[in-house]
């Protein structure tokens, strides 16, 4: 695990953008699973506005780590957010965008998207392999859309599962642990003081850490990077501002 700590959200966005450019620059096809949430939104803005000319968008293929089961025009759609903050601002081929269809039947869409990953991604260890999976983390320690109350979904034998939000009951299609941990690289983007407590428990492996899905992110390649702002990292024993 590598920790990269920066002073604020904007600096996290800038440094992650540079990291993505370096990672993707040498490959003819680079497959990325995107995250929703407030931090990726800032990253997408910075990537599009400051670094769009530094990336060969013809080589970038976009997927999603999870999607709410809503229409692509709905304000809660991760796809809609990505279109507004990234896709509409860069010259990426339409055929390189592989969205989860949140408007379809959740169980059928989980099967379809799982099959799409089998078709589109290269294989490693017999499983589809992303070049990069971008993850966020909720205040409750969830990641993708695997929540603590459904942590068993992490070890599902399927590529995708239907998860249920513990408060709203909203259904979501999410990648499972077998796909996330088979990625070449996994990068957490976590910012804000509200995340500091869970970041400490998970990164420092304190008592009860395995209750949180984010603690089970452990790519087989060992290439796991946390991009944090100072507020999210402030309780870590390995970090002092």
């Amino acid at each position: 695990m590598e920790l990269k700590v920066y002073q604020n959200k904007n600096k996290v966005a800038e440094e992650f953008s540079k990291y993505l450019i370096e990672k993707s620059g040498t490959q003819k096809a680079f497959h990325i699973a995107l995250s929703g949430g407030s931090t990726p939104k800032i990253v997408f803005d910075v990537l599009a506005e400051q670094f769009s000319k530094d990336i060969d968008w013809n080589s970038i293929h976009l997927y999603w780590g999870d999607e709410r089961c809503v229409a692509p025009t709905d304000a809660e759609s991760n796809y809609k957010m990505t279109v507004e903050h990234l896709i509409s601002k860069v010259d990426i081929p339409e055929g390189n965008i592989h969205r989860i269809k949140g408007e379809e039947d959740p169980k059928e869409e989980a099967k379809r998207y799982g099959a799409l990953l089998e078709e589109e991604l290269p294989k490693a260890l017999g499983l589809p392999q992303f070049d990069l999976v971008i993850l966020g983390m909720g205040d409750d320690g969830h990641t993708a859309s695997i929540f603590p109350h459904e942590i068993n979904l992490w070890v599902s034998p399927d590529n995708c599962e239907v998860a249920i939000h513990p408060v709203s009951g909203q259904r979501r299609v999410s990648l499972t642990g077998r796909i996330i941990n088979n990625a070449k690289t996994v990068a957490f983007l976590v910012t804000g003081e509200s995340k500091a407590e869970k970041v400490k428990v998970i990164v420092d492996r304190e008592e009860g850490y395995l209750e949180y899905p984010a603690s089970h992110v452990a790519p087989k390649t060992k290439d796991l990077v946390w991009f944090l702002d100072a507020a999210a990292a402030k309780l870590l024993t390995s970090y002092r501002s």
Side-chain angles (χ1 to χ4, degrees):
M1 180 189 303
E2 182 180 1
L3 299 179
K4 294 178 179 286
V5 182
Y6 304 99
Q7 62 262 42
N8 55 49
K9 292 180 180 181
N10 284 338
K11 191 63 176 174
V12 169
E14 289 176 11
E15 294 303 321
F16 178 77
S17 295
K18 295 174 186 176
Y19 176 84
L20 175 59
I21 291 165
E22 183 180 351
K23 279 278 184 185
S24 63
T26 58
Q27 295 185 211
K28 291 182 179 178
F30 193 80
H31 302 271
I32 309 172
L34 302 174
S35 172
S38 59
T39 305
K41 187 184 296 184
I42 297 169
V43 170
F44 296 161
D45 284 337
V46 169
L47 191 59
E49 292 163 12
Q50 298 183 30
F51 299 99
S52 63
K53 293 181 181 178
D54 299 319
I55 293 180
D56 177 11
W57 292 101
N58 290 311
S59 70
I60 302 294
H61 286 257
L62 301 181
Y63 305 77
W64 277 260
D66 66 324
E67 181 59 277
R68 293 153 175 152
C69 293
V70 297
T73 54
D74 192 286
E76 292 201 338
S77 167
N78 286 336
Y79 169 75
K80 182 177 190 290
M81 183 274 280
T82 310
V83 168
E84 291 177 346
H85 292 269
L86 179 65
I87 293 172
S88 64
K89 301 177 181 179
V90 300
D91 191 19
I92 185 169
E94 187 175 345
N96 290 15
I97 300 166
H98 312 278
R99 76 176 180 92
I100 299 173
K101 297 180 180 178
E103 72 273 23
E104 302 293 343
D105 176 79
K107 287 187 178 181
E108 291 303 314
E109 181 57 15
K111 290 179 185 177
R112 185 199 72 84
Y113 206 66
L116 180 143
L117 301 182
E118 296 282 351
E119 294 168 7
E120 297 288 342
L121 296 178
K123 296 289 197 306
L125 302 175
L127 295 174
Q129 184 177 56
F130 282 105
D131 293 293
L132 174 64
V133 172
I134 301 171
L135 295 174
M137 187 193 73
D139 294 354
D140 60 356
H142 86 266
T143 194
S145 276
I146 308 296
F147 295 91
H149 78 290
E150 293 183 324
I151 200 165
N152 60 300
L153 295 181
W154 183 262
V155 294
S156 167
D158 296 324
N159 294 340
C160 299
E161 282 282 1
V162 179
I164 300 175
H165 190 279
V167 178
S168 69
Q170 181 188 62
R171 280 166 169 72
R172 302 179 177 189
V173 174
S174 177
L175 299 184
T176 60
R178 76 190 223 127
I179 295 297
I180 293 171
N181 281 342
N182 203 49
K184 285 184 182 177
T185 303
V186 179
F188 272 105
L189 301 178
V190 183
T191 62
E193 191 173 352
S194 68
K195 309 292 177 70
E197 182 182 346
K198 291 298 188 298
V199 166
K200 177 174 172 54
V201 171
I202 291 166
V203 172
D204 289 345
R205 296 189 173 187
E206 295 184 345
E207 184 177 355
Y209 76 101
L210 289 174
E211 297 173 13
Y212 306 116
S215 72
H216 294 268
V217 176
K220 296 168 187 172
T221 62
K222 314 278 189 200
D223 194 359
L224 172 62
V225 187
W226 287 71
F227 286 80
L228 304 164
D229 69 353
K234 71 175 191 176
L235 298 179
L236 290 175
T237 55
S238 55
Y239 171 73
R240 289 290 181 269
S241 60

